[in-house]
Amino acid sequence: MKTLTEKEESLMKMFWNRGPLFVKEIVEAHPEPRPHVNTISTFVRILEEKGFLRHEKLGNTYRYIPTMSEREYGKTNLKEILSRYFNNSLPSLVSALVSDEKISERELTDIITRVKQSRDTGE
C-alpha cells in the first residue's frame, strides 16, 4: 500500500468525513483562498492512481469515492510502522511508547483491560 502525503491525507480526511465527493464540492469545502479546480483534480487523480479513490461517471462529471475507510488506512500504516521500525514486534512498539512517555502505565492498563473484555465478549 502506498502512503499519503500530508496534503493527500487532508483530502482523504474530507472523503472519510463526508463520503463521495465531486471535485467542485472539494474546492468549495476549502476556506478562502480556495485552491484551483485543476489543483484539486490533480490531487484526486493521484489518489485514484494510488488506489485510495475510485470514480463513477455521473453525467459529464465524476464523483470520487474512497476505496478504504480511515480506520483501514490507519491499520495498514500501523502494520507498515511495525514492520519497518519495530521488526513486527508490537511489544517493542509499546515499550517505545512507554519509555518515551507517549503512553502512561494507567493508559496501558486500560488498554489491556479493554482487550481482555473484547476477548471475553467475542468482539
Side-chain angles (χ1 to χ4, degrees), residues 1 15 28-29 52 60 74 87 92 94 98 111 122-123:
M1 164 77 33
F15 282 99
E28 290 171 356
F52 291 99
N60 295 341
N87 199 27
S92 293
V94 172
V98 171
I111 291 168
E123 294 178 6

Side-chain angles (χ1 to χ4, degrees), residues 24-110:
K24 181 180 177 184
E25 293 173 316
I26 299 168
V27 172
E28 290 171 356
H30 280 81
E32 292 289 347
R34 291 189 171 116
H36 193 273
V37 170
N38 291 343
T39 302
I40 297 299
S41 292
T42 299
F43 274 105
V44 167
R45 279 194 303 274
I46 290 168
L47 288 168
E48 191 170 21
E49 288 170 10
K50 286 183 168 185
F52 291 99
L53 295 175
R54 64 179 177 82
H55 71 269
E56 62 183 3
K57 187 168 175 72
L58 295 172
N60 295 341
T61 189
Y62 295 108
R63 183 168 70 165
Y64 294 90
I65 304 151
T67 59
M68 69 177 60
S69 69
E70 185 173 18
R71 183 172 176 87
E72 289 168 325
Y73 178 68
K75 283 182 176 182
T76 301
N77 271 349
L78 183 56
K79 288 176 186 176
E80 178 68 22
I81 289 167
L82 276 172
S83 170
R84 185 177 285 174
Y85 302 106
F86 296 97
N87 199 27
N88 286 320
S89 170
L90 190 54
S92 293
L93 170 64
V94 172
S95 177
L97 291 171
V98 171
S99 67
D100 290 347
E101 298 180 9
K102 301 293 184 195
I103 187 170
S104 69
E105 287 183 43
R106 177 71 184 144
E107 290 168 320
L108 190 55
T109 301
D110 289 345

